[in-house]
Amino acid sequence: MTSPVRMRPQVPAAHRLADLADAFSLVVDPSQGDRTVTGITVSSTDVEPGDVFVAIPGLRAHGARFADQAVEAGAVAVVTDAAGAELVTADVPVLLADEPRDLAGPLAAWVYDYPAERLVSVGVTGTNGKTTTTYFVEAALRAVHPLTVLLGTVELRIGDVAVESPRTTVEAPALEAILAAGLERGATAAAMEVSSHALALGRVRGLELDVAGFSNLQRDHLDFHGDMEGYFRDKSRLFAPGQARRGVVVVDDEWGRRLAVESPIPVETLATHVGAPEAHTADWAVTWADIGLDGVGSSFVLRAPDGAEHRAASPLPGLVNVSNAALAIVLAHAAGVDLAVAIDAVAHAHEIPGRMERVVERGDGLPLSLVDYAHTPDALVLALEAVRPITPGRLVIVFGSDGDRDRGKRPIMGEIAARLADVLVVTDENPRSEDPASIRAAILGGVRSVRPDLADVHEATSRAQAIHDALALATERDTVIVTGKGHEPTQEIAGVFHRYNDRDVIREAVALARARAEQHA
């Protein structure tokens, strides 16, 4: 993936500022109404000539502080609240809105002529599995749509042209621009991840999906949502009239079962735990699953609402990916893909960056080495349980926990790793503004609850060194799994983003080990 790649229409539609104002009951001086609007943004660094700059009040500063910079870059107007208007000094029309953040999405949809209405669109939310499921859905859509759009944690992609994604769900103007650019280039379908932050902050307002999917709800982001009830409330926003037309809900946990009952839009239910009570009552159910011992994928049987059973497969190992594959199949089918086509496409989907990604195959004295994004307690359990059956020797894990995020999960992560892995290397994830040593100490506190003597437990102050240590400790029969960061191209330490990627470090460590072996041969 390379940047910069333009993720906007090459020939955007042109609108009069007065027409935009009329459409949203905003006020603009008639003498300035003929200004031409061709785009919209909430970031002053992304402004292109012809943009409307939506200045949103932020946690640290009001976006209007950057309005002059936006105008210098070509913004033709500013939409902001009364507090923001006082900060704008540039000679530019300022349109007042009570809640500019809420208005950014609908404005962008209008400016780009509601692109989602002309695309088959699927959105996936939930704590774990969003990325994998979205990639699987996109693979199924691609089987019948010549060109697709993919938006998520890893990348923003139109066809085969992609850029790194700055977050799971981009801001509403960027989202609408990418969909519009996809349409311009011939796309007919889109698959996207929808995060709880995006739903709470209005990043998908103005967008109505054809199908919304819910995977699960596990402990994460409680620093933002407050508690699980708040987390569920924000996730549920995707299942609302005007936000999605229909939904597919996995009912393996209490939150999914609750959403299936409370959803104001029509939903189909899916149970993916074989033999669970929900499997008898859900519309769709996984009735048999084999995780396989080759470490490549898993097979399962999916029962359809008519009672027919269909053989299916996930290209990734573990029961968690049976769930992701089953959800993707049902979502794609709900979006119009023939069931047999969806099943085949998901089974042959390409490897997903940072999701059970096999970086080094077992052999020539080297352990199987994988990278996985698991960064929540439940995801860590699923990841370790997925690789245990394909590990003839010891399971070696490199892991940490994020700074400036839910502190309560740190000892839980340590306890899980101590219980389910054999050798632990505790290191840093993204410390952000926190002291990395304090984060590791909290994790090690959880480890001690299982292993008071810290047997086979190591600590590394450098994540790269942790990976080198893990590979040095492992034998060919072992499996090394590096969790927490997955695809991420940077590591944030003390507010600075350093270029860093787990799989790159694994490859460097293996190359160094091979070079040393050749020197001693």
Side-chain angles (χ1 to χ4, degrees):
M1 294 181 290
T2 59
S3 186
V5 173
R6 184 176 172 83
M7 286 288 171
R8 290 201 191 195
Q10 295 292 333
V11 185
H15 306 273
R16 293 175 65 248
L17 181 60
D19 293 334
L20 180 149
D22 288 344
F24 293 93
S25 301
L26 303 176
V27 177
V28 64
D29 188 315
S31 67
Q32 299 173 318
D34 284 335
R35 292 193 174 209
T36 300
V37 176
T38 54
I40 185 168
T41 183
V42 296
S43 172
S44 61
T45 60
D46 291 337
V47 171
E48 296 189 8
D51 278 357
V52 168
F53 175 56
V54 182
I56 296 170
L59 294 176
R60 297 182 179 87
H62 200 298
R65 292 187 179 275
F66 307 96
D68 291 358
Q69 178 182 337
V71 173
E72 288 179 9
V76 297
V78 175
V79 173
T80 192
D81 56 14
E86 296 181 358
L87 301 173
V88 181
T89 61
D91 182 16
V92 66
V94 178
L95 287 65
L96 289 179
D98 292 335
E99 298 290 343
R101 176 174 285 282
D102 291 348
L103 197 57
L107 280 173
W110 185 88
V111 167
Y112 292 113
D113 196 19
Y114 300 96
E117 294 183 357
R118 290 166 285 159
L119 292 164
V120 174
S121 57
V122 179
V124 182
T125 197
T127 305
N128 300 318
K130 291 190 298 297
T131 299
T132 300
T133 302
T134 301
Y135 269 84
F136 286 167
V137 168
E138 195 259 346
L141 292 173
R142 199 168 58 243
V144 295
H145 293 271
L147 193 73
T148 58
V149 178
L150 177 72
L151 304 101
T153 304
V154 178
E155 61 184 341
L156 307 172
R157 174 158 49 82
I158 300 173
D160 295 326
V161 178
V163 297
E164 291 177 356
S165 178
R167 55 177 58 90
T168 297
T169 309
V170 293
E171 293 285 0
L175 174 62
E176 296 287 353
I178 293 166
L179 294 178
L183 271 174
E184 184 182 67
R185 300 173 201 181
T188 52
M192 67 188 72
E193 297 180 56
V194 185
S195 70
S196 55
H197 288 73
L199 289 161
L201 297 173
R203 292 179 192 152
V204 290
R205 283 198 180 100
L207 169 71
E208 185 175 33
L209 297 166
D210 289 306
V211 191
F214 175 89
S215 60
N216 52 69
L217 196 73
Q218 311 295 341
R219 177 173 182 147
D220 200 13
H221 305 307
L222 298 191
D223 55 297
F224 180 81
H225 300 286
D227 55 24
M228 290 298 292
E229 189 66 31
Y231 191 18
F232 173 75
R233 183 174 58 251
D234 285 330
K235 286 289 190 188
S236 301
R237 294 173 188 265
L238 190 60
F239 291 76
Q243 194 73 80
R245 295 183 176 88
R246 59 189 297 193
V248 177
V249 177
V250 176
V251 291
D252 294 338
D253 63 31
E254 60 177 306
W255 303 103
R257 293 189 287 274
R258 178 176 163 184
L259 178 59
V261 172
E262 297 180 0
S263 172
I265 64 171
V267 298
E268 294 179 88
T269 55
L270 166 66
T272 72
H273 290 171
V274 177
E278 295 75 32
H280 302 291
T281 57
D283 298 314
W284 300 78
V286 174
T287 59
W288 173 88
D290 178 12
I291 61 174
L293 297 178
D294 58 1
V296 175
S298 305
S299 301
F300 62 98
V301 171
L302 180 63
R303 190 201 70 228
D306 62 2
E309 294 195 330
H310 304 267
R311 295 280 304 202
S314 163
L316 299 179
L319 291 175
V320 62
N321 287 308
V322 168
S323 179
N324 294 333
L327 175 56
I329 290 166
V330 178
L331 284 169
H333 184 55
V337 180
D338 179 81
L339 185 57
V341 172
I343 289 172
D344 181 70
V346 169
H348 295 95
H350 296 301
E351 191 171 66
I352 300 164
R355 272 62 180 177
M356 282 296 169
E357 184 176 359
R358 301 165 74 93
V359 183
V360 178
E361 296 293 343
R362 193 186 313 283
D364 295 328
L366 295 171
L368 172 65
S369 300
L370 307 103
V371 169
D372 191 74
Y373 191 51
H375 62 284
T376 68
D378 292 274
L380 189 61
V381 170
L382 294 170
L384 294 175
E385 288 181 344
V387 297
R388 174 62 77 180
I390 60 173
T391 302
R394 299 171 303 165
L395 182 50
V396 182
I397 181 173
V398 176
F399 75 113
S401 191
D402 270 341
D404 297 338
R405 299 293 185 269
D406 180 10
R407 298 186 180 199
K409 74 179 182 182
R410 295 169 188 174
I412 300 172
M413 302 284 280
E415 182 272 328
I416 290 168
R419 181 165 47 87
L420 298 181
D422 300 305
V423 180
L424 283 58
V425 184
V426 178
T427 189
D428 303 332
E429 204 164 288
N430 292 298
R432 297 189 172 90
S433 70
E434 284 195 63
D435 173 26
S438 68
I439 301 173
R440 297 194 301 271
I443 296 170
L444 289 167
V447 172
R448 284 192 183 91
S449 69
V450 178
R451 301 186 194 179
D453 59 354
L454 296 181
D456 289 319
V457 178
H458 308 265
E459 184 178 2
T461 58
S462 158
R463 190 171 179 91
Q465 186 60 52
I467 291 174
H468 281 263
D469 291 348
L471 290 169
L473 289 164
T475 69
E476 183 175 326
R477 291 174 54 81
D478 299 336
T479 295
V480 173
I481 181 168
V482 183
T483 66
K485 289 184 63 60
H487 68 284
E488 290 182 351
T490 61
Q491 183 180 28
E492 185 181 355
I493 304 171
V496 178
F497 288 88
H498 304 267
R499 293 299 296 185
Y500 172 90
N501 181 264
D502 282 337
R503 62 176 174 266
D504 292 342
V505 175
I506 291 174
R507 290 174 181 139
E508 291 167 3
V510 168
L512 182 60
R514 283 175 172 157
R516 287 173 177 167
E518 289 175 1
Q519 288 177 355
H520 292 90

